[in-house]
Amino acid sequence: MRVSSAMRRRSWSMMLCLTLGLALSLTAQSADAKKKKDKGDQATTAMPYPSTYKPYPGRPTALVGATIYDGRGGRIDRGTVLFADGKLVAVGGADLAIPDGYDRIDAAGKFVTPGVIDIHSHLGDYPSPAVDASSDGNEATSPTTPDVWAEHSVWPQDPGFTRALANGGITALQVLPGSANLMGGRSITLKNVPSLTVQGMKFPGAPYSLKMACGENPKRVYGEKNQKPSTRMGNFAVNRQTWLDAKKYMNDPDADRDLGKDTLVGVLKGEILVQNHCYRADEMALVIDMAKEMGYKVTAFHHAVESYKIADLLRENDICSAVWADWYGFKMEAYDGIPENAALIAHAGACVVIHSDDENGIQRLNQEAAKAQADGRRIGIDIPDAQAIGWFTYNPARAMGIAGQTGSLEKGKMADVVLWNGNPLSVYTRPEKVWIDGALLFDALDRKRRPVSDFELGQPGEGDVK
């Protein structure tokens, strides 16, 4: 059969249309897949503000003859700690060989612990002096602000950083947004070192956390603005709807990018931790149920003055309690706070962290742990010293997702180390020397090793220590 030229033209036209249609379809599918992948990458793995932290130079060092608490419940009397090239080389007894080239420090009669870590700080975001010009810890303009990041408010010159180092032995800390909002934004974990930029303090590899808050604060802040939430049931309703919206966003490749939902997607994927301000036991139990409903996990409840009432529930759900030693009664939801809280949590086998939430308290976490330990002893709960040390070293590192790098004296970890001039669980003791990644950044016996921020230069009290 002879095919006319018109038929041939129609045939070619149809083939061309089919080819173009297939190409456009594949292109659209590829674009959708790329959009979905890009959105997922941007939500969590992309680091637009990467850490530029580099350890300060240090020397191979041997601390000899000290009582050593390793942060994980271990104690060595008359022990030796070796570190070099920023890492812990060995921890052992008096017979541990010291290689050539190490600076030997006689630590007899003194104590060595891992660097102190504060899981709940606002240094840099609420710096000293406390003036409106630098008060940047709460974006109290909406009940949910998961789009904001604490690091974008951190002022590296805050004198609180150097006070925390010199008086408290603080080597790492988590800076959180405040608790005005149900979802306050992302936290940042910092190495407590002098730096011109926040990126230069940013703990390499530390996961982000989402700061959440329940109870009085959000309902008061927004109730006073005559908007939702003004009640606890309003708190939960707003939270649940926000999580539902985040799940829809996560599964919608066509959704426009949303910075707040990026953070929430990171939480739902388990890549961003949750640090939840919460006081009352009943509310903590409800939050646990909500987390299970929405598919995320609470890493730690902060303040948690009633954790002792549900310690078994917290243990079963692997949730830490970041608590004070004895703060209570300063508002209604703190009314049932008791000084035995930490000991009762620990006695139930749950995780205890001693935190500060205060620019002065961060300088005394060791003393706060000692107070909580003593309160336990008064009711017959004997917390060993080595365990109490973990409340401000290893346990916060665990709840911040950095326990693989710091928080305990173990070979290969960062050489974040404090040499105390006495028992760290004594009110009379203070840090004598502090190393961060093996660099000696504070030495009470050497005035040249007392860091001073630029802001302090020429000011009264410049470089003061306890």
Side-chain angles (χ1 to χ4, degrees):
M1 181 179 70
R2 185 174 179 178
V3 179
S4 70
S5 59
M7 290 178 67
R8 283 198 297 270
R9 285 196 299 272
R10 285 198 297 272
S11 177
W12 280 109
S13 178
M14 288 176 65
M15 290 177 64
L16 180 61
C17 287
L18 287 170
T19 302
L20 286 173
L22 179 61
L24 288 170
S25 176
L26 291 172
T27 301
Q29 290 176 23
S30 176
D32 285 346
K34 184 177 185 302
K35 185 175 181 181
K36 188 170 184 178
K37 179 181 182 300
D38 288 348
K39 189 171 73 175
D41 288 347
Q42 292 164 341
T44 53
T45 56
M47 291 293 179
Y49 306 97
S51 170
T52 59
Y53 170 76
K54 288 186 177 12
Y56 280 78
R59 290 183 52 79
T61 301
L63 306 179
V64 182
T67 300
I68 300 169
Y69 291 119
D70 67 8
R72 301 198 67 177
R75 170 177 174 151
I76 302 173
D77 293 321
R78 295 180 296 282
T80 302
V81 177
L82 304 178
F83 51 89
D85 300 320
K87 302 292 184 183
L88 289 157
V89 174
V91 180
D95 58 348
L96 184 64
I98 301 173
D100 293 338
Y102 275 63
D103 294 343
R104 182 185 177 110
I105 295 176
D106 182 4
K110 300 174 184 177
F111 289 69
V112 176
T113 70
V116 180
I117 299 173
D118 191 0
I119 194 174
H120 191 121
S121 176
H122 299 293
L123 292 185
D125 280 5
Y126 285 121
S128 303
V131 295
D132 288 345
S134 55
S135 176
D136 292 312
N138 262 319
E139 182 57 41
T141 54
S142 171
T144 60
T145 57
D147 54 323
V148 303
W149 297 16
E151 65 198 82
H152 298 147
S153 285
V154 170
W155 182 43
Q157 294 186 52
D158 182 357
F161 289 121
T162 57
R163 300 301 191 274
L165 176 73
N167 295 330
I170 299 290
T171 57
L173 62 155
Q174 179 173 230
V175 178
L176 297 155
S179 55
N181 299 340
L182 296 167
M183 298 175 179
R186 295 197 196 193
S187 72
I188 181 173
T189 297
L190 304 176
K191 301 284 283 193
N192 193 18
V193 296
S195 175
L196 295 175
T197 66
V198 68
Q199 293 99 318
M201 302 174 74
K202 199 169 182 178
F203 194 112
Y208 285 108
S209 286
L210 169 65
K211 168 67 178 298
M212 295 185 67
C214 61
E216 289 186 24
N217 286 17
K219 82 186 194 79
R220 182 189 71 248
V221 170
Y222 293 97
E224 288 176 353
K225 297 178 181 182
N226 197 31
Q227 71 177 85
K228 190 177 183 178
S230 64
T231 61
R232 283 180 165 83
M233 60 184 174
N235 286 350
F236 274 84
V238 173
N239 268 329
R240 294 176 72 214
Q241 187 61 55
T242 305
W243 285 117
L244 289 173
D245 293 346
K247 293 171 82 169
K248 181 178 178 181
Y249 171 82
M250 181 172 64
N251 296 314
D252 182 1
D254 295 319
D256 291 334
R257 189 175 175 206
D258 183 296
L259 292 178
K261 291 186 178 70
D262 281 352
T263 294
L264 301 182
V265 168
V267 173
L268 293 169
K269 288 182 174 181
E271 297 169 3
I272 294 178
L273 309 179
V274 172
Q275 313 290 342
N276 207 130
H277 159 121
C278 212
Y279 284 72
R280 283 180 11 191
D282 58 315
E283 285 190 272
M284 287 186 265
L286 283 169
V287 168
I288 292 171
D289 286 343
M290 178 171 62
K292 291 177 179 176
E293 175 193 15
M294 297 300 169
Y296 70 92
K297 183 184 185 305
V298 176
T299 306
F301 284 118
H302 290 233
H303 311 331
V305 300
E306 291 188 13
S307 278
Y308 65 95
K309 297 181 180 181
I310 54 166
D312 55 344
L313 182 62
L314 299 172
R315 180 193 65 239
E316 290 162 8
N317 287 276
D318 189 30
I319 299 174
C320 290
S321 296
V323 301
W324 298 291
D326 52 9
W327 287 26
Y328 90 102
F330 49 92
K331 54 181 174 176
M332 194 64 201
E333 63 187 359
Y335 189 76
D336 267 358
I338 60 173
E340 297 85 4
N341 188 28
L344 288 166
I345 300 165
H347 186 63
C351 169
V352 174
V353 177
I354 298 294
H355 73 345
S356 77
D357 190 28
D358 182 76
E359 69 274 16
N360 294 308
I362 194 173
Q363 303 175 38
R364 300 186 294 273
L365 292 183
N366 58 310
Q367 295 177 19
E368 295 300 299
K371 287 158 61 177
Q373 178 194 38
D375 287 321
R377 284 178 178 161
R378 278 194 283 273
I379 61 170
I381 299 175
D382 190 7
I383 306 293
D385 290 356
Q387 181 179 347
I389 296 294
W391 292 351
F392 55 88
T393 56
Y394 182 76
N395 284 2
R398 167 185 161 191
M400 292 159 61
I402 56 174
Q405 298 160 275
T406 190
S408 58
L409 300 178
E410 297 179 84
K411 181 179 178 179
K413 286 193 174 184
M414 295 170 168
D416 297 340
V417 180
V418 181
L419 175 66
W420 304 84
N421 63 6
N423 187 333
L425 297 175
S426 166
V427 71
Y428 299 107
T429 295
R430 56 163 296 111
E432 184 173 298
K433 293 179 172 61
V434 182
W435 292 266
I436 299 180
D437 282 307
L440 182 59
L441 292 186
F442 172 73
D443 187 346
L445 307 179
D446 181 357
R447 288 193 171 273
K448 294 180 180 179
R449 297 279 184 176
R450 296 185 179 182
V452 178
S453 76
D454 286 354
F455 177 77
E456 292 182 83
L457 295 174
Q459 302 280 357
E462 175 186 316
D464 277 353
V465 295
K466 187 188 287 183

